[in-house]
Amino acid sequence: MTIAPDNAQRGASHLYRAMRDFVHSTDDTLPGKFEITKEGIVLDMMSPSKPHELTVLRVRKRLERVMPEALVAHTGEPDVEDEPEGVMRRPDVMVISETEMEGDGSFDPRSLVAAVEIVSRSNPDNDWVSKLRDYPLIGVPVYAIFDPRTGTGAVLTDIHPTPDGPRYATRKDFVYGEDVTIGDWTISTEDLPLYQEP
């Protein structure tokens, strides 16, 4: 059976809304964190560890010390959502204008100044592969990754078109202990914790 492009889009939109309704219905009832990617629903079953959460806290505080007061390094809800692309994510830290936080609904990904992710021990490909594809697709201009498994990270910028869709053109790798620039602000990566071997 052949489906016309507008019907295909309508079907994709219907499927996305069904996945979003499922994710919202599980809030606070099932363990883990649900997000929607181009492949479908992703579940990180593990509760965030102390090193993960301490990294989130330290990165957030360091960013807020150097950013203008009108910007915040927000952690938590709501999600960042691009319904036409079928993507709903919740970055560990979102650099966003405080005024963009007013009102109801999800954040428009194009309103973010930057998204910061701390790599999960249980699902590192979610940060290093899926989000590396999804964030430029939905227009997040800066994506910073901190990896407590290795004490390294990367900042990705300059979205450009490719045959596989929008991708970041510039990648600057860093090692914990170095200063790192996210957007217009430079912070220290000293004293960020590493995951310990189980």
Side-chain angles (χ1 to χ4, degrees):
M1 174 167 143
T2 304
I3 299 175
D6 59 335
N7 288 339
Q9 182 62 36
R10 204 171 310 128
S13 179
H14 176 72
L15 176 61
Y16 173 76
R17 284 195 303 276
M19 288 190 292
R20 183 180 60 192
D21 290 346
F22 168 77
V23 167
H24 287 173
S25 73
T26 62
D27 284 349
D28 301 324
T29 60
L30 294 175
K33 176 180 167 184
F34 290 91
E35 294 179 304
I36 303 173
T37 75
K38 293 302 282 183
E39 281 83 36
I41 296 174
V42 171
L43 169 62
D44 190 348
M45 282 294 294
M46 300 289 289
S47 296
S49 65
K50 285 183 177 180
H52 181 281
E53 293 303 286
L54 183 56
T55 304
V56 169
L57 174 71
R58 288 182 175 166
V59 168
R60 178 187 61 78
K61 288 171 74 173
R62 291 172 189 183
L63 280 169
E64 288 195 332
R65 276 199 295 266
V66 297
M67 294 187 314
E69 193 170 314
L71 294 177
V72 295
H74 174 65
T75 59
E77 298 181 17
D79 296 302
V80 172
E81 180 178 29
D82 187 320
E83 183 172 346
E85 291 295 346
V87 174
M88 184 175 71
R89 293 294 199 164
R90 188 177 301 163
D92 290 318
V93 180
M94 295 171 257
V95 178
I96 191 168
S97 162
E98 188 172 319
T99 58
E100 292 289 342
M101 299 182 70
E102 296 172 357
D104 295 322
S106 299
F107 291 131
D108 179 338
R110 288 157 193 83
S111 70
L112 267 62
V113 176
V116 178
E117 295 288 1
I118 316 309
V119 174
S120 163
R121 188 200 308 257
S122 63
N123 190 4
D125 283 353
N126 189 32
D127 299 301
W128 280 113
V129 178
S130 298
K131 291 177 184 175
L132 196 57
R133 178 203 58 235
D134 286 352
Y135 283 157
L137 176 68
I138 63 176
V140 175
V142 177
Y143 175 32
I145 308 171
F146 290 76
D147 195 337
R149 300 171 310 148
T150 58
T152 62
V155 178
L156 299 116
T157 57
D158 304 319
I159 298 171
H160 71 117
T162 76
D164 296 322
R167 296 291 185 267
Y168 293 113
T170 304
R171 174 178 168 153
K172 294 184 179 176
D173 293 301
F174 63 88
V175 175
Y176 281 20
E178 298 176 337
D179 287 350
V180 60
T181 300
I182 301 170
D184 294 329
W185 309 282
T186 300
I187 63 171
S188 169
T189 62
E190 289 283 349
D191 304 319
L192 294 180
L194 299 176
Y195 294 139
Q196 301 301 314
E197 291 300 319

